[in-house]
Amino acid sequence: MPEIKVTPLGAGQDVGRSCILVSIGGKNIMLDCGMHMGYNDDRRFPDFSYITQNGRLTEFLDCVIISHFHLDHCGALPYMSEMVGYDGPIYMTHPTKAICPILLEDFRKITVDKKGETNFFTSQMIKDCMKKVIPLNLHQTVQVDDELEIKAYYAGHVLGAAMVHIKVGSESVVYTGDYNMTPDRHLGAAWIDKCRPDILISESTYATTIRDSKRCRERDFLKKVHESIERGGKVLIPVFALGRAQELCILLETFWERMNLKAPIYFSTGLTEKANHYYKLFITWTNQKIRKTFVQRNMFEFKHIKAFDRSYADNPGPMVVFATPGMLHAGQSLQIFKKWAGNEKNMVIMPGYCVQGTIGHKILNGQRKLEMEGRATVRKLSFTFTLTFFLLCNLDVKLQVEYMSFSAHADAKGIMQLIRMAEPRNMLLVHGEAVKMEFLKGKIEQEFSINCYMPANGETTTVTTNPSVPVDISLNLLKREMALGGPLPDPKKPRTMHGTLIMKENSLKLVSSEQALKELGLNEHQLRFTCRVQLQDPHSDPDTLHRIYTHLKSVLKGYTIQHLPDGTVMVESIVIKVSSSAEDPNTKVLLLSWSYQVTFLRC
Amino acid sequence: MLDCGLDTTSVLNFLPLPLVHRLNRLLLLSFQELKECAGRVFVDSQPEFCLPERELLDLSTIDVILISNYHCMMALPYITEHTGFTGTVYATEPTLQIGRLLMEELVNFMERVPKAQSATCWKNKEIQRMLPGPLKDAVEVWTWKRCYSMQEVNSALSKVQLVGYSQKVELFGAVQISPLSSGYSLGSSNWIIQSHHEKVSYVSGSSLLTTHPQPMDQSSLKNSDVLILTGLTQMPTANPDGMLGEFCSNLAMTIRAGGNVLVPCYSSGVIYDLLECLYQFIESANLGTTPFYFISPVANSSLEFSQIFAEWLCHNKQTKVYLPEPPFPHAELIQTNKLKHYPSIHGDFSSEFRQPCVVFTGHPSLRFGDVVHFMELWGKSSLNTIIFTEPDFSYLDALAPYQPLAMKCVYCPIDTRLNFHQVSKLLKEVQPLHVVCPEQYTQPPLSQSHRSDLMLELQPPPMPYRRCSVLNLPFRRRYERVYILPELANSLVPSEIKPGTSVATVSAVLHSKDNKHTLQPPPAPPTKKRKRVIEEPPVVLAPKPLLSGAVPLEAFLATLQKHGISEVKVEETADGHILHLQAEDTLIQLEEDGTHIVCDNNEPLRTTLRDLVLRFLQKL
């Protein structure tokens, strides 16, 4: 029996470093290749040695597919392709291809230049890696090779986020990446057709949450920001450069305009400005409303939002700052946080999910004293010894910490909705916390009565598929069988059909038996039976025959009975002849002759 | 239905729609609606278009319309509105968006200058016969229609379903359609229509030149049973690159001499390439200070839309978007104020307008739109130049109502579609079994009958079609796909007939739904417990298989012996043997292609004999 195997190398009962291996119909596919934000050691990348102990991955993988540009989905890509070694195709959508290298470069800079790590991928490696990328268009069916085809669907999580349908023969898998089932201010909702995959691999970040309406959350958010500004506080919103940032900018921009507010809104520099530009050029990937109005007014040209400079953080008075990254684990958002943390007038709003181990995660869990790792200082003691000191300092968190679930993941309701859309035969959960997954798994199994799996990292789930066998049926046979259903074939009514299946090399053909004989160059062998029956009848031979004919005609209703001019009667294909016996003209001999194929129906 | 383009050359028979009426130049003929101008007769009426054939078939029976590019959808409202059409139109996103702009522009041009009357008298056959050419020879004039309304456009376009390149769309489970990049314009496509066993390609308006759109996808056209070929270049003798050079040099010459340049053009398509070419040219030609104007009700939208279709652009332009920079340099021209766009000549334009300048505006037929105004403004001065770049209209016909004209005329038609040389190379590459094409492609153009290179020469010769002709495509469908459920597949017993070939008899229940067929195992005999009567397939006993092979005499006798039949008298005949089973008084006639058992009233024996014979035969 054919099987599909799924092994998460990352994101199995966990959030972060998404990387899932799928074996389907003899093809191996890697879905996403992310890094973990919560770790700084080997654990930050997926364990590629699972695939092979020694060397390159090219011969073990048929293709790699990246769902979107978030680093927990693509952060390990240059490491995998350039340092471990993979030369095969990497697929991602156009926006992802455009934005992914910028985020990777940013990530590299923070890791290498700021933290001083070595043995990390270089800028050149990012470039070389991106050369292997083949862009995907939505709904385009890409033939990876003769058997493997992939198709991308809109996922609505961030700009260019996609779900992928992977198909080999009649077996298929859908991987959602991260997705969002409710349209927001800048993106549309995820959509997939009823493709009935064997397995649906879904993220489950918000497996147990059912979120209230978006409007309420937005109102809440604006109220909090407004209150803080009113009392002269500073608001820090840690975001990732692309995605939520743009949604919240649109939200604040319209609010500022409506309320005629004067407090400055800043956007941390460089990347984000560029990011808005990407949104303008890839406007076809945003939601209906923005697409419709972009000629008159481009929603990504902001009037109230200005570029941030590091020195502004010390400016007096209220302000709102969007800074990267979103989980407060490094970079500018962390720096500003440290500066503002001591003042209870200030506020930090975490608009998204925070991975375990990050400062964002800690403060959201109510931790008020943080041990911070300062900049490493290196002191040269002599020519041969250097000592590295890590400065540890304590930070008291006094500012208000608010959490607003703005990250565009599907909630429990959304996940169920997607299952209803795609109608999978099996369900597999990744990218979520084990306890929450367990809960959702129960719900899915109960509601849809399909199997639901939740493998841990390195654990393989095997699903046996039961594919139908495609066969070429001769049109003659098909039409004949369809006509058998009655004078007016009812397409909905099932019909019984008979034929011969010819298996030759790789082709399977279903034809009528007669055609099969012809095609195979075989002679038909006629098997006939004849039986003599004696009866007493004084009439002449033709009269006897005619009497038999009329009798049969009255008895056997619904059968074709013919009286042929050559002195025979045929009931369907049974031949009846009459002759008189030589001795006694009153004794008639009936010759009944039929072929092997005749079926006798006993009445 | 493959495409529904509009024949707009019919408007050449009409007078231009001027912004200001100037009747003094026109001599009135015997009819109010016909006017003469420079020796030619024109109809003074709202211009009308020649529609695709609508009488031949019931438009409500059309299930699907495939659109190959935005120029080929201009007749859509005539087909989908007020005709009972209920089908779906398939097009790519740029085709839809830019097609909408072009329709919007057309409607705007027409509604801007409403002409009260719509001339009909001249259409009377008797009158038309007496008119001078080309009016006399105009065909199907009764079917000519006035322009549609914006409401009809919106309604027609709401029936469009968007598709992406290489997207496979199932139609009624019977066929699969898929658009392929054709390289001619933004979102332009060729179409593949295929079932599991047959493949038809529709190649329309394709280009192999490197302009702004994504290059043409040729490899997917391979293995076609039939290739329908249309939309070849209308200017087989004009080289687009040469024309572009001529365009630039004429433009520079006129400007240097202090004249203005008028470029009648569509608001999307070649204009992007012209602007890109000028972007590089104006610096070197020292035209940095000359203003360029693009005037159209959809000028802004067209320029904006061109920048957001990165996925549909050529590789060079795509990489620009990754930087991120706008893919077309006209963004920079606009930013630096070298190129300005206006919705019409009214409003801002009239105050900001400086001469000498270059104006791009429509409509290329010179019958309506802002171009009419510029013709009147600049026509009288020999300093000015009009440069025709669109190949759809004969420039002499276009200019006819404006004669006599002092302005210089330059004709540089830029048509990037396939020429005959490229087509034959393409066909050699993709090797379709049959080619179907318009009749015109099978003979050289009338004016150049000696140019045998300006026609299609193929082996086997292409099948030509003309308006309203019905063509039978030369293939027979013989097979269709059916799916055998795994339970049934497992129950089949194959037997090898010859090395590598096995057969198995199949008796199954055929389910057909949405043109998809599946074979399921025959139902188990119904159990009596079942209370609810559900629809069961008719219970038909499996018919006995056909037999093949021959029964060998010696082996058969040996088998009979084993079953206790030993008294057998064998008699040789012309075709085989007759076996007389004496004890049982039974005859068995063994021949190469048949066995005949004559046995009276002994059912058990007959059954035994039958089974023994069957042992030696193959069942199909």
Side-chain angles (χ1 to χ4, degrees):
Chain A
M1 276 299 200
E3 291 172 340
I4 303 178
K5 288 185 180 161
V6 182
T7 315
L9 295 187
Q13 304 181 2
D14 185 18
V15 178
R17 59 162 186 192
S18 284
C19 184
I20 295 135
L21 295 178
V22 172
S23 290
I24 172 172
K27 307 282 169 186
N28 296 317
I29 299 124
M30 180 185 281
L31 300 169
D32 280 339
C33 191
M35 49 93 61
H36 202 295
M37 305 279 186
Y39 298 117
N40 279 325
D41 50 22
D42 282 351
R43 286 173 296 172
R44 90 178 133 209
F45 291 143
D47 180 12
F48 297 113
S49 64
Y50 176 90
I51 303 172
T52 172
Q53 288 291 338
N54 36 2
R56 308 177 63 81
L57 305 174
T58 311
E59 56 180 300
F60 300 97
L61 294 176
D62 291 280
C63 76
V64 174
I65 303 168
I66 302 295
S67 65
H68 64 284
F69 58 67
H70 277 160
L71 288 177
D72 57 335
H73 292 261
C74 70
L77 195 59
Y79 171 76
M80 194 269 311
S81 74
E82 304 310 308
M83 296 172 82
V84 182
Y86 169 74
D87 299 321
I90 301 169
Y91 292 94
M92 52 177 85
T93 64
H94 281 276
T96 310
K97 188 184 173 189
I99 296 162
C100 175
I102 297 170
L103 294 184
L104 285 171
E105 180 58 30
D106 208 49
F107 169 47
R108 190 198 67 81
K109 265 196 206 135
I110 291 175
T111 324
V112 177
D113 299 352
K114 295 233 170 93
K115 292 192 192 153
E117 278 187 51
T118 51
N119 191 26
F120 203 72
F121 53 77
T122 62
S123 295
Q124 190 54 46
M125 284 180 185
I126 299 176
K127 283 188 191 125
D128 292 340
C129 166
M130 294 314 288
K131 279 184 198 144
K132 297 170 186 171
V133 171
I134 302 170
L136 271 179
N137 291 333
L138 280 186
H139 302 158
Q140 174 192 17
T141 312
V142 174
Q143 215 72 43
V144 177
D145 57 33
D146 287 345
E147 289 153 340
L148 173 60
E149 61 177 48
I150 56 177
K151 181 175 177 183
Y153 292 91
Y154 191 77
H157 172 64
V158 286
L159 192 72
M163 308 193 270
V164 274
H165 183 231
I166 301 148
K167 195 173 160 205
V168 180
S170 50
E171 297 171 276
S172 66
V173 170
V174 168
Y175 173 59
T176 64
D178 293 354
Y179 63 102
N180 186 13
M181 296 300 286
T182 43
D184 62 27
R185 276 177 190 269
H186 75 303
L187 296 175
W191 177 85
I192 194 161
D193 52 23
K194 196 166 283 183
C195 50
R196 298 196 177 91
D198 291 300
I199 308 179
L200 174 66
I201 305 175
S202 169
E203 65 133 331
S204 49
T205 323
Y206 291 124
T208 54
T209 333
I210 289 180
R211 285 179 296 179
D212 48 4
S213 89
K214 193 104 190 176
R215 293 254 163 244
C216 294
R217 265 178 289 151
E218 286 178 357
R219 217 172 25 236
D220 247 29
F221 169 79
L222 291 172
K223 205 173 122 208
K224 275 175 187 157
V225 172
H226 195 195
E227 278 168 6
S228 191
I229 295 292
E230 288 283 272
R231 60 169 186 260
K234 296 177 166 61
V235 181
L236 169 67
I237 307 172
V239 286
F240 286 101
L242 288 130
R244 256 3 66 197
Q246 278 69 27
E247 186 189 357
L248 295 177
C249 280
I250 293 175
L251 193 62
L252 282 187
E253 168 92 7
T254 40
F255 186 68
W256 250 237
E257 201 154 308
R258 204 174 64 223
M259 305 293 286
N260 203 11
L261 295 178
K262 292 284 175 282
I265 309 175
Y266 296 114
F267 215 139
S268 70
T269 43
L271 192 51
T272 24
E273 254 175 275
K274 227 176 175 180
N276 288 344
H277 214 102
Y278 280 116
Y279 275 84
K280 283 186 226 162
L281 292 174
F282 286 113
I283 214 130
T284 48
W285 286 79
T286 58
N287 70 24
Q288 200 84 35
K289 196 183 153 205
I290 293 186
R291 269 155 56 186
K292 268 209 169 132
T293 55
F294 92 102
V295 177
Q296 290 81 41
R297 184 175 188 279
N298 200 320
M299 288 295 256
F300 297 103
E301 275 160 15
F302 301 114
K303 268 188 260 162
H304 296 273
I305 299 166
K306 294 171 195 77
F308 180 74
D309 186 272
R310 190 177 297 183
S311 62
Y312 295 174
D314 298 321
N315 284 359
M319 67 172 87
V320 179
V321 174
F322 288 95
T324 53
M327 298 187 192
L328 284 180
H329 56 280
Q332 203 157 32
S333 63
L334 185 59
Q335 280 170 20
I336 301 173
F337 175 75
K338 283 191 218 162
K339 268 196 184 139
W340 292 357
N343 190 340
E344 63 272 1
K345 271 208 290 191
N346 296 340
M347 183 190 280
V348 59
I349 300 179
M350 307 296 298
Y353 183 87
C354 287
V355 165
Q356 204 155 19
T358 59
I359 300 215
H361 188 260
K362 284 177 193 158
I363 59 168
L364 280 183
N365 280 345
Q367 214 170 316
R368 284 304 183 205
K369 277 205 188 307
L370 296 173
E371 215 166 62
M372 304 293 254
E373 194 178 278
R375 173 74 71 100
T377 55
V378 181
R379 281 197 198 145
K380 219 165 194 170
L381 292 182
S382 70
F383 289 111
T384 45
F385 290 102
T386 54
L387 256 185
T388 308
F389 295 93
F390 288 102
L391 296 180
L392 294 177
C393 54
N394 283 321
L395 187 69
D396 282 322
V397 181
K398 289 200 186 126
L399 51 47
Q400 283 186 58
V401 178
E402 294 288 347
Y403 174 69
M404 304 237 90
S405 155
F406 268 104
S407 61
H409 292 279
D411 60 3
K413 219 166 79 191
I415 296 172
M416 302 304 242
Q417 209 178 329
L418 189 80
I419 299 177
R420 237 164 272 136
M421 265 186 182
E423 292 191 358
R425 295 194 183 87
N426 296 279
M427 189 71 194
L428 193 143
L429 299 177
V430 294
H431 200 285
E433 289 158 34
V435 194
K436 294 183 181 176
M437 276 187 183
E438 199 75 60
F439 174 80
L440 183 65
K441 173 176 145 76
K443 255 190 90 173
I444 292 171
E445 287 179 338
Q446 187 192 357
E447 188 161 329
F448 298 100
S449 30
I450 53 174
N451 287 326
C452 183
Y453 306 90
M454 39 175 284
N457 286 337
E459 191 186 314
T460 302
T461 295
T462 308
V463 170
T464 313
T465 57
N466 221 349
S468 311
V469 186
V471 163
D472 295 338
I473 187 167
S474 128
L475 217 58
N476 292 337
L477 179 65
L478 187 68
K479 285 201 176 137
R480 191 174 81 186
E481 295 304 332
M482 282 165 86
L484 273 183
L488 277 173
D490 176 2
K492 282 183 191 114
K493 206 166 159 189
R495 295 168 301 269
T496 316
M497 65 147 290
H498 310 280
T500 303
L501 187 67
I502 306 178
M503 289 162 263
K504 202 163 158 187
E505 280 139 26
N506 286 326
S507 81
L508 289 173
K509 274 197 285 189
L510 186 60
V511 296
S512 63
S513 305
E514 294 84 357
Q515 198 184 338
L517 279 178
K518 222 190 271 171
E519 286 204 9
L520 296 168
L522 298 175
N523 287 330
E524 193 189 343
H525 188 97
Q526 292 274 358
L527 176 57
R528 288 196 76 81
F529 303 92
T530 301
C531 166
R532 282 171 298 189
V533 181
Q534 290 193 352
L535 54 92
Q536 295 293 321
D537 189 67
H539 296 85
S540 69
D541 293 358
D543 282 353
T544 312
L545 191 67
H546 191 75
R547 277 162 52 105
I548 292 169
Y549 171 68
T550 32
H551 175 68
L552 288 176
K553 198 116 180 143
S554 67
V555 175
L556 298 173
K557 295 252 160 62
Y559 289 87
T560 334
I561 301 171
Q562 293 165 282
H563 191 168
L564 297 176
D566 65 343
T568 54
V569 165
M570 282 190 75
V571 180
E572 300 283 322
S573 63
I574 304 171
V575 183
I576 304 171
K577 275 189 188 166
V578 176
S579 59
S580 335
S581 119
E583 302 96 57
D584 177 8
N586 283 347
T587 310
K588 306 286 180 201
V589 181
L590 274 177
L591 274 176
L592 288 162
S593 180
W594 68 95
S595 79
Y596 165 66
Q597 278 79 17
V598 170
T599 319
F600 290 97
L601 285 175
R602 284 168 207 281
C603 309
Chain B
M1 181 183 269
L2 303 172
D3 282 332
C4 52
L6 196 56
D7 184 356
T8 45
T9 52
S10 62
V11 302
L12 293 175
N13 293 308
F14 292 79
L15 272 184
L17 288 181
L19 298 169
V20 190
H21 282 272
R22 14 146 238 175
L23 286 164
N24 50 348
R25 260 186 64 187
L26 303 159
L27 296 169
L28 284 157
L29 279 185
S30 51
F31 291 103
Q32 282 285 317
E33 55 191 41
L34 291 172
K35 297 202 171 122
E36 193 194 318
C37 185
R40 271 174 80 160
V41 174
F42 297 94
V43 183
D44 184 16
S45 154
Q46 183 94 345
E48 295 183 331
F49 304 117
C50 179
L51 268 50
E53 180 61 46
R54 298 203 298 180
E55 305 302 314
L56 198 62
L57 72 166
D58 180 359
L59 291 177
S60 66
T61 60
I62 292 178
D63 295 312
V64 167
I65 301 179
L66 306 181
I67 304 291
S68 52
N69 61 62
Y70 46 76
H71 286 301
C72 292
M73 64 188 287
M74 299 301 281
L76 203 56
Y78 294 121
I79 302 295
T80 62
E81 302 311 300
H82 320 300
T83 56
F85 175 84
T86 52
T88 314
V89 183
Y90 287 95
T92 62
E93 182 165 7
T95 300
L96 170 69
Q97 302 295 5
I98 296 175
R100 181 194 296 278
L101 293 182
L102 292 183
M103 288 175 166
E104 211 178 297
E105 187 185 39
L106 200 62
V107 173
N108 191 302
F109 283 159
M110 292 294 181
E111 287 177 355
R112 213 187 261 176
V113 208
K115 267 206 170 179
Q117 85 266 40
S118 196
T120 48
C121 288
W122 69 276
K123 289 185 181 175
N124 187 315
K125 273 209 179 86
E126 290 306 305
I127 297 170
Q128 198 199 351
R129 208 160 44 90
M130 284 150 56
L131 294 175
L135 266 183
K136 189 173 101 184
D137 308 317
V139 287
E140 317 252 353
V141 290
W142 277 109
T143 66
W144 290 11
K145 282 266 174 340
R146 294 173 63 152
C147 189
Y148 30 73
S149 69
M150 207 51 219
Q151 194 191 347
E152 287 166 322
V153 171
N154 286 331
S155 167
L157 294 183
S158 70
K159 292 166 179 124
V160 174
Q161 178 90 40
L162 294 182
V163 281
Y165 286 152
S166 311
Q167 179 178 349
K168 292 178 182 167
V169 180
E170 287 273 339
L171 294 185
F172 321 109
V175 287
Q176 204 178 49
I177 54 163
S178 178
L180 304 173
S181 175
S182 77
Y184 168 55
S185 62
L186 267 177
S188 69
S189 31
N190 293 323
W191 292 86
I192 301 280
I193 306 160
Q194 63 183 345
S195 67
H196 281 289
H197 298 97
E198 297 85 17
K199 177 171 173 180
V200 177
S201 309
Y202 173 56
V203 175
S204 159
S206 302
S207 174
L208 291 170
L209 300 178
T210 2
T211 55
H212 58 275
Q214 214 182 87
M216 178 179 176
D217 180 352
Q218 299 180 54
S219 57
S220 305
L221 297 172
K222 281 184 185 164
N223 305 320
S224 302
D225 296 292
V226 172
L227 189 144
I228 305 171
L229 180 71
T230 180
L232 298 187
T233 178
Q234 304 191 39
M235 294 295 143
T237 48
N239 167 18
D241 277 328
M243 288 295 141
L244 209 55
E246 213 168 293
F247 170 80
C248 287
S249 62
N250 275 301
L251 186 140
M253 230 150 58
T254 309
I255 295 290
R256 280 202 201 103
N260 298 297
V261 177
L262 179 61
V263 187
C265 62
Y266 292 115
S267 337
S268 179
V270 177
I271 185 168
Y272 303 142
D273 295 311
L274 290 178
L275 289 175
E276 181 155 10
C277 175
L278 287 173
Y279 170 77
Q280 293 154 358
F281 180 73
I282 47 180
E283 287 310 315
S284 62
N286 216 0
L287 296 174
T289 54
T290 314
F292 287 76
Y293 300 115
F294 176 18
I295 302 167
S296 156
V298 297
N300 185 26
S301 304
S302 164
L303 293 173
E304 288 283 343
F305 268 111
S306 67
Q307 305 288 20
I308 64 158
F309 291 123
E311 281 110 316
W312 311 86
L313 294 174
C314 64
H315 185 255
N316 269 343
K317 297 224 177 310
Q318 270 181 14
T319 24
K320 278 190 125 179
V321 177
Y322 295 157
L323 292 178
E325 275 171 23
F328 284 97
H330 54 240
E332 204 186 313
L333 287 175
I334 295 169
Q335 225 166 32
T336 53
N337 265 329
K338 284 178 183 141
L339 174 68
K340 291 186 179 171
H341 54 81
Y342 301 91
S344 80
I345 52 166
H346 303 292
D348 289 348
F349 176 71
S350 43
S351 54
E352 292 171 21
F353 170 54
R354 281 188 297 122
Q355 299 194 49
C357 63
V358 180
V359 170
F360 296 88
T361 188
H363 184 271
S365 65
L366 306 189
R367 289 302 179 269
F368 41 85
D370 298 296
V371 74
V372 178
H373 171 80
F374 287 100
M375 284 306 294
E376 289 172 358
L377 186 69
W378 292 343
K380 288 162 220 118
S381 164
S382 61
L383 279 178
N384 301 327
T385 307
I386 179 168
I387 309 180
F388 291 89
T389 55
E390 301 290 350
D392 283 0
F393 302 94
S394 142
Y395 79 106
L396 288 175
D397 289 344
L399 288 172
Y402 298 97
Q403 297 296 359
L405 206 62
M407 162 185 227
K408 274 196 294 272
C409 302
V410 179
Y411 188 50
C412 324
I414 297 171
D415 194 334
T416 56
R417 287 172 285 185
L418 295 175
N419 60 34
F420 289 100
H421 176 69
Q422 290 164 328
V423 165
S424 12
K425 228 175 113 190
L426 172 76
L427 292 178
K428 228 172 256 167
E429 194 88 357
V430 304
Q431 302 254 346
L433 287 184
H434 302 277
V435 174
V436 176
C437 69
E439 202 178 26
Q440 293 91 303
Y441 297 162
T442 56
Q443 59 216 24
L446 281 176
S447 53
Q448 291 157 300
S449 49
H450 61 288
R451 294 285 297 267
S452 62
D453 57 327
L454 297 184
M455 61 177 279
L456 269 184
E457 273 181 292
L458 295 171
Q459 250 350 291
M463 305 174 60
Y465 65 84
R466 69 187 94 130
R467 189 167 175 138
C468 297
S469 66
V470 175
L471 221 61
N472 279 318
L473 297 186
F475 56 60
R476 259 191 66 210
R477 292 177 60 233
R478 296 182 59 200
Y479 287 99
E480 197 155 325
R481 187 52 64 91
V482 65
Y483 293 90
I484 300 187
L485 284 196
E487 300 81 41
L488 176 64
N490 287 338
S491 71
L492 296 181
V493 192
S495 61
E496 196 167 56
I497 291 274
K498 30 185 163 178
T501 307
S502 311
V503 295
T505 53
V506 180
S507 287
V509 178
L510 176 69
H511 282 262
S512 300
K513 197 177 158 192
D514 299 338
N515 285 322
K516 292 263 175 266
H517 311 289
T518 49
L519 289 179
Q520 300 181 351
T527 46
K528 285 186 182 141
K529 276 182 197 162
R530 187 173 293 151
K531 277 180 195 151
R532 219 152 47 94
V533 180
I534 49 169
E535 201 169 350
E536 289 282 341
V539 182
V540 176
L541 290 180
K544 301 224 176 82
L546 292 185
L547 303 173
S548 175
V551 182
L553 178 66
E554 294 307 320
F556 185 61
L557 287 175
T559 319
L560 285 180
Q561 185 100 42
K562 245 188 238 164
H563 283 79
I565 303 168
S566 45
E567 268 181 82
V568 181
K569 201 175 116 200
V570 180
E571 192 183 310
E572 206 156 319
T573 64
D575 301 318
H577 300 87
I578 293 178
L579 280 55
H580 189 196
L581 280 52
Q582 289 172 321
E584 294 81 8
D585 191 22
T586 293
L587 284 176
I588 302 174
Q589 197 176 346
L590 287 182
E591 283 171 11
E592 189 62 28
D593 55 359
T595 302
H596 194 169
I597 299 173
V598 184
C599 168
D600 297 339
N601 267 334
N602 191 346
E603 186 69 30
L605 174 67
R606 189 156 48 221
T607 315
T608 317
L609 288 175
R610 181 194 71 194
D611 292 343
L612 293 181
V613 169
L614 286 179
R615 280 190 198 182
F616 296 95
L617 297 173
Q618 285 156 338
K619 292 154 207 80
L620 285 171

